[in-house]
Amino acid sequence: QLHGAGGRGSVADMNNDGEDSSSDEEAALREEAQVFAPEYLHTIEETSRTFLGHIGAVTALAGGKITPSLLVSGSTDFTARMWDIETGKCTGLLEGHVAAVRDVVMSPDERVVFTAGDTCVRIWDRVSG
């Protein structure tokens, strides 16, 4: 981030006229989030939920687009976990990596979860286990 004389803003915060465009970007991000999962878009004052289960730092997240209540997390504890956002419960534990899980991706139909971080990519069938 580049700081100007006032110590605020970044190059991305300025539009082509040199005016502050951060509010435009904020609005665009909020609109994109509403398309993704409007029922889960809340302000911090309205909702806060903690998902407990990993014993290491969480390093990756993937959210469901077809199933907005689905969240998958990867961690330095060598595992990935599937969560139900509505209940906050862990719905699946994906074990097998020998190092931290650094990336988590779901297939477009959300049936398959891909995790990576050690020397391999693991493929998990979310439906059949």
Side-chain angles (χ1 to χ4, degrees):
Q1 187 171 39
L2 299 176
H3 296 281
R8 294 185 189 151
S10 68
V11 173
D13 290 338
M14 298 293 182
N15 64 21
N16 291 335
D17 298 328
E19 296 174 6
D20 187 356
S21 65
S22 58
S23 61
D24 293 339
E25 289 176 16
E26 241 176 66
L29 288 173
R30 181 167 285 284
E31 185 176 315
E32 184 178 324
Q34 287 175 336
V35 169
F36 173 70
E39 60 272 25
Y40 297 105
L41 182 66
H42 302 286
T43 63
I44 291 173
E45 295 82 25
E46 293 173 350
T47 299
S48 181
R49 178 163 286 146
T50 301
F51 298 88
L52 300 174
H54 285 295
I55 57 172
V58 174
T59 55
L61 292 172
K65 292 182 181 180
I66 296 171
T67 312
S69 62
L70 172 63
L71 178 69
V72 182
S73 60
S75 172
T76 58
D77 65 8
F78 307 174
T79 69
R81 288 178 178 263
M82 295 183 291
W83 304 91
D84 182 322
I85 291 175
E86 293 175 356
T87 65
K89 304 283 186 204
C90 178
T91 60
L93 176 62
L94 309 176
E95 297 178 292
H97 283 282
V98 296
V101 176
R102 299 286 179 197
D103 201 9
V104 175
V105 179
M106 283 188 279
S107 62
D109 65 1
E110 298 175 3
R111 181 183 175 105
V112 178
V113 175
F114 303 90
T115 57
D118 46 20
T119 60
C120 65
V121 173
R122 294 193 180 267
I123 303 170
W124 312 87
D125 187 324
R126 193 173 71 81
V127 177
S128 68

